[in-house]
Amino acid sequence: MKQHTTRMTLTIDNKTVTADTGASILDVARQNGIDIPTLCWHEQLSPHGGCRMCIVEVEGLSHFPTACTTPAADGMIVRTHTAQIREMRAEILQLFLSEHTASCLVCDEQEECREYMSTVRKAGVTTGCRYCPKDGQCELQAVTESLGVRDIIYPIYYRGIPVETEDPFYDRDYNLCILCGRCVRMCQEVRLADVLAYKHRGRDAIIGPAFARTHLEAGCEFCGACVSVCPTGTLREKARAWEGAPDREEITTCTFCGVGCQVRLLVKEDRIIGSLPADDPTVNQGQLCVKGRFCNTELVNGHQRIRHPYRRENDIAWDVSWDAAFELIAEKLRSSAPERTGMLVSSNLTNEDLYVAQKFMRVVMKTHHIDSTARLFYGSGFSAYLTLMDRAVPLSAIRDASAVLMVGLDTRFSRSVVGVAIRTAMKRGIRMFTLHSREHTFSLNADVWLQPEVGEEYRYVEALVRLAAGEDVTDRSIPADMRVRLADVARALSESDSPVILVGAEFLQYDSSRAFLAAVAQLADHVGAGVLTLPAQNNLYGSLLSGSFPELLPGMRPTADAARLQKLESLWGTSLTGLTDAWNADHLLRDDCAMQFLYAVGALPPVHRGAAKFTVFQNMYPPEPYCSADLVLPTAAATETDGSFLNGERRVQRVRRAVAPPGIALPDWDILCRLARHMGAEGFAFTRPEEIREEMAQVIPGFGEAEIDARGILPLAFDAVMHVSGNGTAQRPPDSDHPFILHSSVVEHTHRGFPLAAWVEGSRILFPEGVLDISAEDARALGLRDGDSVHVSGASFEEIYPVRIVRQQPRGALHASILESALTHPNPQPVSVRKADV
Amino acid sequence: MSEYQPVILPDIPDLDRIDVYEQHGGYQHIRKSLGMAPDDVIGIVKESGLRGRGGAAFPTGLKWSFMPTDGEKPNYLCVNGDESEPGSFKDRQIFEFNPHLMIEGILIAGYALRIKAAYIYIRGEYEKWVQMVEKAVADAYAKGYVGEKMKETFGTDFSCEIYVHRGAGAYICGEESSLMNSIEGIRPYPRVKPPFPAQVGLWGCPTTINNVETIANVPLIIERGADWYKNIGAEKHPGPILYGISGHVNKPGVYELPTGMLLTELIHDVAGGVPGDKKIKMVIPGGSSMPPLRGDQLEGVRMDAESLKEIGSAIGTAGIMVMDEDTDLTRILTRITHFYKVESCGQCTPCREGTGWMLKVFHRLLDGEGEPKDLDLLHSVAKNIEGNTVCALGDAAAWPVKFTIERFRDELEAELSR
C-alpha cells in the first residue's frame, strides 16, 4: 500500500502549489493568494456549497465543483478564472440580484452618487438613494464589482417581505437576504442555540425561528453572532445600521460580568460605533453575549451621559468647574469626622481606579471606610461566596469536564459564552445538570433539571451533599421524582473524573444563600469538583485585591495584618495606625445611618434610606431618579480609560482607551488623584495607569506589565474574614393578611450601579429592572394584565411594581427583580398584593 | 417477450401475506446468505451486474463494497421508497404485492453490509402503502425473521432491526443525503459530498442507500445465482426491471420485463399503443427529469442505461411518459417546471432562483406574450442550473427544459406563434 503523505501538490491557475491533505480547493487557493469569490462560505462555519460563486474547473471532471466543498487532491489541475467560469458566476450572480433590491449595485449613477450623496436619515432632500445599511461593507456588492456585473437580464423583482423591527438590538430585512445560510449555521453549529432555521422551501425559503415564533419566544440569546456573519444588509444592528465602516478597532475587555470577554471596539470619528467579539482563544473564543455585543455601544454613547461636573442644591442644578468641585469636596471633607465619612465603590471599576480610591480614603481621609456594593449584592452569603470563588478553576475546565452541574446559572443573556462552552461539551457527550427554580436556557436540554421551589434551592444542594456522602435523603419536603433525579446527579458527579460546578448569580439574595453556598462548597469537596463562580461584577476579584473593603488592605490582606500595614506605611509614607474600620455598606441600609460625607464612585448608594449630609456622585450617568446627590462628577466609561480587571478565573486582563470621554469627564483614578493633590496629599502624582500599577506591583503580586500582557491567572488565596450582615431571619409563613410569598433578586445586568435597562433601550425588553413576576392564575384572580402596576406590602416595606406574567411562576409566589439598594429583608417574606390605583 | 415470467411481481395471489411468501420459498434466501461470508454475498451481487433502479443505475455490488467492514461505528442501510419523481410508480407495486421480497432483500443486504439497522423510507403521500409495509415488517418480526430473534431463527450471530420511516411530502427527500437528514429529523437539505454516505452517512455512520426495487432483486440473485441474473436483458444493465408506462397509451401501468426492451415494443405492444393511433411527439423514458426523446427518434431505442445514454437520455426510474402529437409542449414544460419550482429545496442559488424564473417565463409564454428569445433565456437559465447544484435535483429541474428546447425548438416556436 502506498504510504500516505501529509502534503500534496496540485496546480491552480498554472501555479504549482503544495498543501496539507484535507484542505479544500478554496483553502489552498487562498493560502496561495488566489482569490475565488464566495458568499455562503465563512471561515468559522462548515462549507455549504449553496451560493455557487466559488465554482471552479477541475481537469477530468465534467461539472464545475464548488471550491469550498471539494477537497484538494494530489495532482489536481484546477482553473479558477476561465472565461466560462467567470460567465457562469456572473449569470448566477444575476439570479441573486434579480431578487435583491440591487439598484445601488448596478446603478449607472453609482460613481457620482457616492461622491455627492448626503444623508437620507434626517434631511428631506437627498442627492442619492441609500437603500442598504451595508453599503460599502456588503459582500454581495464586492462580488458584483469583482465580477463586473452591470446589467441584470431578469426583471427586478421585489419580494415585499415586511421588515422585522420588533425585536431588540437588531432588525431583519429579508428582502436583502441571499439565503447563504451563514446565520443559520452560526446559530446551529457554533452557538449551538438552534434558534434560526430555514423555513419553507425553494423560492419561498426564508430564515427565522421555526413555527412562527418570535426570536424572543424561540430562546434567542441576542448574541448577534448571526448579524456579524451576514454578508448583506439583511441583519442589521439597530444602533449601528447606518454608521458605515469603522476607522479603526481597539481590543479591550468587556465590563459587564466576571467572564471578561475580549471585545473588538469599532471606532469611527472618535466614537464607539460597535463592539464585536475578539478572536480570543482563552476566554470567549470569538463569542459574546447580548451585553458585550450590543449594550456597550448604547451605554457609552447615551446622550444623557454627564459631560460636566454639576452642583445640586434645593432642586437647582448648575455646572461647576473641576477646581470648584474639588474645593467643595475638600471643604466638606475637612469638616467630616473620619468615622462618619465613607466611600462606596462598585466592583465594576478598574484595579487602578479601586487602588487609588482606597489609597485616597486611607491616606487622605485616614479611614478604612471604603466598601463595594458587592457586599449588598451578596448579603448574608458574601463570605461564603468569596470562599467559594477562591476555589475558581479556569474556564477551560468546562472543556475538559466529564460532568457539569450548574447552580443558579442562566446563560441566556449573561455569560452566554459559557453556555456555548457547555453546549459544545455536551455535544462531546458530557453529562450536564442544572439546578434552578425557574425556567432558563438549560432547563430543557440539560440531562437533568433539578427544579426546587423558589427559596428551596439550598435544600437540594444539601441533599446532593448527603447523597454524595453515601447517605439517604431524609428531606421529605423534596418530591419523590426530584429525589430520584438528585440521586442520579449525585451518582454521576461522584463517578465523574473531573466534574465542574458552575455557580451563577441567581438566588444569592435569599436569606438561605449562606446555607446554599456552604452546601455547594461541601458538595465540591465530596465529589472532588472544581468550582467556577462567575460573579455578576466584572472585577469582584480586583476589588478584593486592591483593598476596596474596610476589612482588606491591598494584596487582599486583613486590615489587622501588621506586616502589611507597615509595608504600606513605608510605601505611602504615612501612618496607618488607628484608622477606623467600623463602617461598611450595610450601614447605608440602616435607619440610623447618619453619614456626614458619602462619596459614591461608580455606584448607586441606597441613600433614600439613610441619607448622608453630603453626597458626591461620580459616574457616567446622572443619579436621578435612583438617588440624589449634592455634587455630580462625570467619569470616563471603561472604553475611555486604560486599566485592568481580574475576571472570575482570577485572570488579569487589560481594558484600553478607545475614545476620549465626553465633555470634560475624566477617569475615576484621575479625578481622585487630582482631588488628593488639590487637598495637598502626597503620593497621588499618577498621570497614567501604568504608574499606578507600578506602585501596586510592590504590594500585589502579578501586576507587572509583562504579567498583565500574558493574561495569566493570578495565584491568589483569600483568607480574610468579611463582616456579614446577620439577615438570616427565619421565614414566616404566609398569613391571611399577607397571603403571598415574595422573593427578591438583585438584577445582575447592571453597570456602575445602574441597571442596563435604564440606559440601553433593548435591555428593557430582555432584562427589565423593578418588575414583579406573577403566575397567570394569580394574575387572573387579581384581575391583572401584563404591565399593570401592583401595590406590594410586607411587614416593613411597601412598593409599587409593574407586573410581568410568567408561565412558570408557581402560584402564590412572587418574584421581584430589583437593585441592591431596594433589597429588603427577610427575603423571602409574606406580602399582600393589590392592584395599584392609577 | 411473452415467455418472460415475472419474478419481482410474480402472478401469485396474496403474496403480500407472509405465509404465502413462505410457501413460495420465502425467507430461505437469507438463510442461504447467512451460510456465506458477507463479502461473498457482495461478490455475487457484483457478479450479477445488478445496477441501481432508483435513477443513476450505479452498480450495486460496487456501492456495497465501499462500506467499511470493521469500523467502530455501526453501519446502516436506507431503503429509498420516496418515489416522488413524476412518472414513477413502481416501488409502490412492491410495497403492495411483494413486500416480503424487499424485507428479505434488506436482511441479505444488511448481512452483507454488516448493518445494525435498516430504514425503509416511504413517501408521505403513500399512507396506504406505509401501512402495508408496516404490517409486513411486523409480521416478519413476529415470525422471528427480523431483529434479535433472527439469531435464534437462523442460528446466526447477525441481527438487524428494520424501521419504517414515513416522509413528510418533499421531493428532495428522495435525494439520498436529504433522505438521511429527514430520518435524522433535521431539515432535508442535501449534504455536500464528499464525504460520501459510505463514510459519513446516517447519524454520521457508514450508510448505504438503495432503491426499493434494487433491494427486491437481491433475494432472487441469491436464489438463482449471478449467472442466471446477468443473462436476463441487456448485457451491461441486466435483470428484470419494472417499467412504469404512462401518458398517451391504451394500457398504462407497471410491467415487469427484462431490461433492454425496445421502447417502441413497450409502447405499442406492451402498453397497447397510442389512443387513436396518433403519432408520438415526445417520450420521456425515465421519469420527468430525464432528457426527452422525439417521436421520430424512437426506432431501435432500447431501454437500458447504456443504450439510452448513447442517444442522449437516461434510464432514470424507467418511468416512460408518452405524449402524442396533439400535446402542447409549452404546457407540459410549464407543469414540469412548476413541480420543480415548488420542490426545489432552496439550498443552491441556481436551482432556487432559476426554477422560479423559468416558471415566470413559461407563464409569459402561455399568456401569449412570449418571444423566441425567451426560449434562449430559458435555455441559458437551465444550463446554469445543470451541474451547478449540491445535489442531482438541479439537473432534474434543468434537463427537461434544456433538452426540450434543444430537441423541440421547432415545435416550441410553432406553439409560440399560435
Side-chain angles (χ1 to χ4, degrees):
Chain A
M1 218 177 130
K2 232 174 80 180
Q3 215 188 336
H4 283 285
T5 50
T6 52
R7 296 288 287 179
M8 54 189 171
T9 306
L10 54 155
T11 311
I12 304 181
D13 293 346
N14 300 321
K15 195 171 158 188
T16 305
V17 297
T18 58
D20 289 332
T21 48
S24 68
I25 294 176
L26 183 68
D27 294 336
V28 181
R30 292 214 166 146
Q31 282 158 19
N32 289 280
I34 298 163
D35 188 44
I36 300 173
T38 53
L39 284 171
C40 68
W41 180 86
H42 191 273
E43 56 188 353
Q44 283 177 280
L45 309 170
S46 68
H48 177 62
C51 80
R52 315 307 288 186
M53 282 295 110
C54 70
I55 48 171
V56 291
E57 189 182 303
V58 175
E59 231 174 75
L61 286 186
S62 58
H63 66 290
F64 299 98
T66 41
C68 67
T69 61
T70 310
D74 207 32
M76 207 177 229
I77 298 168
V78 182
R79 279 178 279 272
T80 70
H81 283 87
T82 65
Q84 190 187 4
I85 283 177
R86 285 187 62 87
E87 192 188 326
M88 284 172 75
R89 284 183 190 145
E91 282 177 20
I92 296 166
L93 186 69
Q94 288 184 48
L95 288 171
F96 276 126
L97 298 180
S98 66
E99 288 213 339
H100 194 90
T101 36
S103 316
C104 60
L105 304 184
V106 291
C107 177
D108 290 342
E109 312 282 331
Q110 208 183 50
E111 293 301 309
E112 284 175 31
C113 179
R114 289 221 176 111
E115 207 165 316
Y116 298 110
M117 184 168 59
S118 67
T119 177
V120 292
R121 279 176 292 165
K122 298 191 180 84
V125 182
T126 66
T127 53
C129 10
R130 210 166 165 193
Y131 289 120
C132 177
K134 210 56 179 275
D135 187 27
Q137 301 170 88
C138 170
E139 292 182 42
L140 187 60
Q141 199 172 28
V143 170
T144 305
E145 271 165 33
S146 81
L147 291 179
V149 172
R150 298 303 302 247
D151 298 302
I152 303 174
I153 54 169
Y154 307 98
I156 298 297
Y157 172 76
Y158 183 64
R159 281 178 278 191
I161 304 164
V163 181
E164 299 173 12
T165 58
E166 69 278 17
D167 279 312
F169 297 117
Y170 64 93
D171 295 336
R172 300 172 295 273
D173 180 357
Y174 287 113
N175 296 298
L176 298 172
C177 178
I178 57 169
L179 285 166
C180 68
R182 284 187 192 177
C183 53
V184 176
R185 278 174 289 149
M186 178 51 87
C187 194
Q188 296 185 349
E189 291 174 7
V190 179
R191 297 291 300 197
L192 301 164
D194 291 331
V195 171
L196 292 182
Y198 299 95
K199 301 188 289 186
H200 310 296
R201 64 189 181 206
R203 256 199 157 185
D204 300 325
I206 192 167
I207 283 157
F211 311 120
R213 288 171 305 171
T214 65
H215 282 58
L216 205 58
E217 287 165 347
C220 177
E221 298 179 346
F222 294 92
C223 70
C226 53
V227 183
S228 299
V229 293
C230 180
T232 69
T234 308
L235 303 181
R236 53 180 74 163
E237 197 175 329
K238 282 184 206 277
R240 192 181 131 206
W242 300 97
E243 296 282 8
D247 303 333
R248 60 188 167 88
E249 292 183 2
E250 192 77 58
I251 305 267
T252 188
T253 305
C254 176
T255 57
F256 290 128
C257 81
V259 175
C261 295
Q262 299 299 293
V263 295
R264 273 160 54 205
L265 293 176
L266 309 182
V267 185
K268 185 170 190 169
E269 290 160 8
D270 207 33
R271 207 163 60 81
I272 308 282
I273 59 164
S275 66
L276 297 174
D279 189 16
D280 159 58
T282 319
V283 175
N284 51 313
Q285 327 243 339
Q287 296 301 318
L288 284 178
C289 73
V290 61
K291 294 193 280 187
R293 178 69 170 79
F294 294 120
C295 293
N296 222 351
T297 320
E298 272 184 74
L299 185 76
V300 300
N301 289 323
H303 70 272
Q304 306 97 324
R305 284 279 305 268
I306 321 167
R307 292 159 184 278
H308 214 275
Y310 67 88
R311 173 88 166 93
R312 178 180 283 274
E313 200 171 12
N314 303 328
D315 281 338
I316 301 167
W318 66 97
D319 283 355
V320 295
S321 68
W322 276 116
D323 277 341
F326 292 147
E327 186 45 45
L328 182 63
I329 297 172
E331 180 199 316
K332 294 291 175 189
L333 281 174
R334 275 193 288 269
S335 60
S336 300
E339 60 275 14
R340 294 177 69 191
T341 301
M343 179 182 277
L344 187 68
V345 296
S346 69
S347 295
N348 296 133
L349 305 178
T350 65
N351 294 320
E352 294 76 5
D353 291 333
L354 291 164
Y355 179 82
V356 169
Q358 61 82 32
K359 185 176 176 184
F360 177 84
M361 290 310 280
R362 291 182 166 119
V363 172
V364 183
M365 296 314 300
K366 298 289 175 201
T367 171
H368 292 302
H369 289 182
I370 178 167
D371 203 4
S372 165
T373 46
R375 187 187 300 274
L376 303 174
F377 184 90
Y378 294 98
S380 62
F382 190 37
S383 244
Y385 187 85
L386 295 180
T387 315
L388 208 53
M389 179 174 153
D390 209 34
R391 309 164 65 128
V393 292
L395 280 162
S396 59
I398 299 170
R399 285 201 291 273
D400 307 325
S402 50
V404 170
L405 170 66
M406 294 175 24
V407 289
L409 179 61
D410 187 353
T411 60
R412 185 167 179 191
F413 298 132
S414 193
R415 309 174 188 81
S416 322
V417 300
V418 176
V420 175
I422 294 171
R423 286 193 290 262
T424 308
M426 284 173 75
K427 218 178 160 194
R428 214 189 57 229
I430 66 152
R431 297 265 283 155
M432 216 293 282
F433 316 108
T434 181
L435 190 160
H436 203 300
S437 43
R438 293 146 63 86
E439 199 174 8
H440 61 290
T441 329
F442 282 94
S443 43
L444 289 180
N445 53 5
D447 289 310
V448 177
W449 176 16
L450 300 171
Q451 193 192 8
E453 299 220 341
V454 185
E456 300 290 299
E457 297 82 3
Y458 70 101
R459 287 181 190 275
Y460 278 55
V461 188
E462 284 173 353
L464 285 174
V465 172
R466 276 197 294 278
L467 287 161
E471 296 164 25
D472 283 337
V473 185
T474 48
D475 192 340
R476 293 291 136 184
S477 66
I478 299 175
D481 62 322
M482 283 293 162
R483 288 205 298 273
V484 173
R485 292 188 193 187
L486 283 164
D488 181 22
V489 173
R491 193 173 332 111
L493 290 176
S494 302
E495 286 169 3
S496 165
D497 296 335
S498 50
V500 169
I501 302 177
L502 294 169
V503 183
E506 311 215 9
F507 38 84
L508 292 179
Q509 287 82 35
Y510 305 158
D511 293 336
S512 56
S513 80
R514 198 183 324 185
F516 165 73
L517 292 163
V520 171
Q522 274 181 302
L523 178 64
D525 287 339
H526 274 296
V527 300
V531 177
L532 185 54
T533 53
L534 293 161
Q537 300 79 10
N538 59 306
N539 201 24
L540 182 54
Y541 238 111
S543 61
L544 296 165
L545 198 59
S546 59
S548 310
F549 292 89
E551 303 95 328
L552 291 177
L553 295 172
M556 231 157 54
R557 300 303 308 151
T559 311
D561 184 333
R564 176 52 52 102
L565 275 173
Q566 214 175 356
K567 189 165 180 186
L568 288 171
E569 281 179 338
S570 71
L571 180 67
W572 291 344
T574 186
S575 161
L576 294 174
T577 46
L579 268 53
T580 61
D581 63 352
W583 175 90
N584 67 33
D586 281 333
H587 294 226
L588 293 169
L589 297 169
R590 293 191 197 158
D591 292 335
D592 61 352
C593 170
M595 305 276 297
Q596 281 174 334
F597 185 93
L598 177 66
Y599 198 157
V601 180
L604 271 188
V607 289
H608 58 289
R609 260 170 255 199
K613 245 177 162 174
F614 193 84
T615 303
V616 180
F617 186 85
Q618 180 170 313
N619 216 320
M620 289 164 64
Y621 284 97
E624 299 82 10
Y626 297 94
C627 64
S628 56
D630 303 290
L631 181 65
V632 176
L633 305 179
T635 59
T639 52
E640 296 153 3
T641 179
D642 287 325
S644 63
F645 285 131
L646 277 166
N647 75 351
E649 305 168 282
R650 303 187 300 258
R651 192 183 298 284
V652 58
Q653 310 199 98
R654 273 185 205 282
V655 282
R656 291 184 181 83
R657 178 186 153 115
V659 295
I664 59 167
L666 293 168
D668 290 300
W669 62 267
D670 202 3
I671 297 172
L672 289 163
C673 287
R674 286 171 195 237
L675 172 62
R677 293 200 294 269
H678 187 94
M679 293 174 72
E682 303 263 318
F684 289 89
F686 306 119
T687 56
R688 290 176 309 138
E690 293 95 301
E691 296 166 6
I692 304 171
R693 279 199 296 274
E694 226 169 86
E695 182 175 312
M696 289 167 76
Q698 298 184 45
V699 277
I700 307 173
F703 264 82
E705 295 302 308
E707 287 160 298
I708 291 181
D709 278 333
R711 292 176 62 212
I713 291 179
L714 299 191
L716 302 171
F718 175 77
D719 62 353
V721 177
M722 305 298 276
H723 299 292
V724 167
S725 55
N727 48 22
T729 324
Q731 187 186 329
R732 283 196 302 132
D735 53 46
S736 54
D737 286 344
H738 302 100
F740 288 92
I741 288 286
L742 170 70
H743 289 82
S744 304
S745 292
V746 172
V747 282
E748 60 164 312
H749 310 283
T750 61
H751 187 66
R752 290 174 172 260
F754 292 106
L756 288 178
W759 309 116
V760 181
E761 198 184 330
S763 58
R764 268 162 236 168
I765 297 166
L766 302 185
F767 26 84
E769 173 268 328
V771 295
L772 186 77
D773 292 345
I774 187 166
S775 72
E777 295 91 336
D778 288 334
R780 211 176 300 122
L782 290 163
L784 294 171
R785 279 185 301 183
D786 233 10
D788 281 352
S789 287
V790 289
H791 187 103
V792 179
S793 56
S796 61
F797 91 105
E798 281 180 58
E799 196 67 70
I800 290 174
Y801 294 111
V803 294
R804 185 168 64 166
I805 297 166
V806 176
R807 194 161 47 93
Q808 282 276 324
Q809 189 68 19
R811 210 171 168 176
L814 305 170
H815 183 269
S817 305
I818 53 173
L819 291 178
E820 288 111 341
S821 51
L823 206 55
T824 53
H825 290 281
N827 182 20
Q829 65 174 306
V831 293
S832 65
V833 179
R834 64 182 162 81
K835 195 169 174 175
D837 326 304
V838 183
Chain B
M1 268 293 168
S2 56
E3 72 275 19
Y4 177 79
Q5 290 299 319
V7 286
I8 295 170
L9 300 171
D11 193 11
I12 300 169
D14 296 331
L15 190 58
D16 59 311
R17 279 168 43 192
I18 195 161
D19 52 332
V20 178
Y21 184 73
E22 283 171 322
Q23 282 160 26
H24 290 85
Y27 291 106
Q28 295 309 313
H29 319 312
I30 172 65
R31 197 180 290 278
K32 184 175 172 188
S33 304
L34 290 167
M36 299 188 251
D39 285 341
D40 292 343
V41 177
I42 296 179
I44 291 173
V45 172
K46 235 184 215 173
E47 172 65 24
S48 74
L50 171 62
R51 291 170 70 168
R53 300 289 193 250
F58 193 82
T60 305
L62 183 62
K63 193 185 225 182
W64 287 8
S65 67
F66 298 150
M67 288 286 274
T69 53
D70 51 356
E72 288 172 7
K73 291 179 172 178
N75 290 0
Y76 291 108
L77 171 68
C78 295
V79 180
N80 189 344
D82 193 52
E83 192 156 68
S84 304
E85 175 87 344
S88 302
F89 40 94
K90 44 114 183 153
D91 294 339
R92 191 170 71 184
Q93 304 302 106
I94 298 174
F95 293 149
E96 184 164 348
F97 296 106
N98 205 355
H100 289 287
L101 183 68
M102 170 188 69
I103 294 171
E104 189 165 13
I106 290 170
L107 296 174
I108 297 168
Y111 173 66
L113 299 170
R114 301 157 172 92
I115 64 164
K116 281 282 265 213
Y119 292 80
I120 306 171
Y121 191 99
I122 305 178
R123 70 177 292 184
E125 293 88 339
Y126 278 5
E127 178 57 33
K128 179 180 153 194
W129 291 272
V130 169
Q131 288 176 17
M132 287 173 169
V133 174
E134 278 177 346
K135 178 171 187 314
V137 170
D139 289 347
Y141 263 100
K143 288 267 186 170
Y145 293 141
V146 188
E148 198 59 25
K149 272 209 225 154
M150 69 184 289
K151 289 184 179 170
E152 200 183 309
T153 310
F154 298 113
T156 171
D157 289 340
F158 172 77
S159 75
C160 89
E161 306 293 332
I162 297 178
Y163 304 103
V164 178
H165 189 101
R166 205 184 123 171
Y171 175 70
I172 192 69
C173 292
E175 199 281 335
E176 59 180 21
S177 60
S178 295
L179 181 145
M180 294 189 293
N181 281 344
S182 173
I183 292 174
E184 287 185 22
I186 60 179
R187 184 179 174 87
Y189 267 176
R191 297 182 186 176
V192 167
K193 282 160 260 183
F196 293 95
Q199 296 135 27
V200 182
L202 190 62
W203 287 302
C205 302
T207 303
T208 291
I209 301 99
N210 284 136
N211 172 258
V212 170
E213 187 188 340
T214 314
I215 285 292
N217 273 280
V218 172
L220 304 168
I221 294 169
I222 297 299
E223 180 191 2
R224 308 185 190 199
D227 283 341
W228 164 78
Y229 192 87
K230 70 182 175 195
N231 284 317
I232 302 171
E235 189 193 338
K236 288 182 174 166
H237 185 194
I241 191 165
L242 303 181
Y243 296 106
I245 309 175
S246 62
H248 296 133
V249 288
N250 282 313
K251 293 195 292 174
V254 172
Y255 298 94
E256 182 191 332
L257 286 162
T259 55
M261 296 275 292
L262 283 169
L263 190 51
T264 46
E265 195 185 343
L266 285 166
I267 296 169
H268 295 295
D269 301 342
V270 176
V274 181
D277 282 329
K278 287 184 189 165
K279 281 203 228 155
I280 295 171
K281 186 184 267 183
M282 180 161 98
V283 174
I284 306 180
S288 68
S289 63
M290 293 300 136
L293 301 172
R294 286 182 71 103
D296 53 20
Q297 203 189 348
L298 306 179
E299 213 51 55
V301 171
R302 289 195 175 272
M303 283 295 292
D304 63 83
E306 301 302 317
S307 309
L308 283 168
K309 199 171 157 190
E310 248 169 59
I311 59 151
S313 189
I315 183 83
T317 55
I320 300 163
M321 303 164 89
V322 180
M323 286 159 254
D324 71 18
E325 56 190 330
D326 294 339
T327 310
D328 185 333
L329 291 186
T330 312
R331 292 190 52 160
I332 290 287
L333 286 181
T334 307
R335 186 63 192 87
I336 290 179
T337 303
H338 177 81
F339 175 82
Y340 290 110
K341 183 246 174 191
V342 169
E343 294 296 343
S344 170
C345 76
Q347 182 170 9
C348 305
T349 318
C351 172
R352 179 184 69 235
E353 306 293 334
T355 50
W357 280 116
M358 289 199 303
L359 187 62
K360 270 191 211 292
V361 177
F362 276 122
H363 280 304
R364 191 158 76 208
L365 299 185
L366 284 185
D367 290 348
E369 288 163 20
E371 298 166 46
K373 74 168 195 202
D374 282 339
L375 295 177
D376 296 325
L377 177 60
L378 284 168
H379 189 259
S380 118
V381 178
K383 261 191 76 177
N384 252 314
I385 301 175
E386 182 190 5
N388 223 344
T389 49
V390 165
C391 77
L393 302 196
D395 293 350
W399 283 351
V401 176
K402 185 187 131 177
F403 286 105
T404 306
I405 291 171
E406 284 176 8
R407 293 174 187 176
F408 296 85
R409 186 151 188 134
D410 52 342
E411 298 277 350
L412 290 165
E413 281 180 359
E415 285 173 13
L416 204 59
S417 57
R418 272 208 302 275

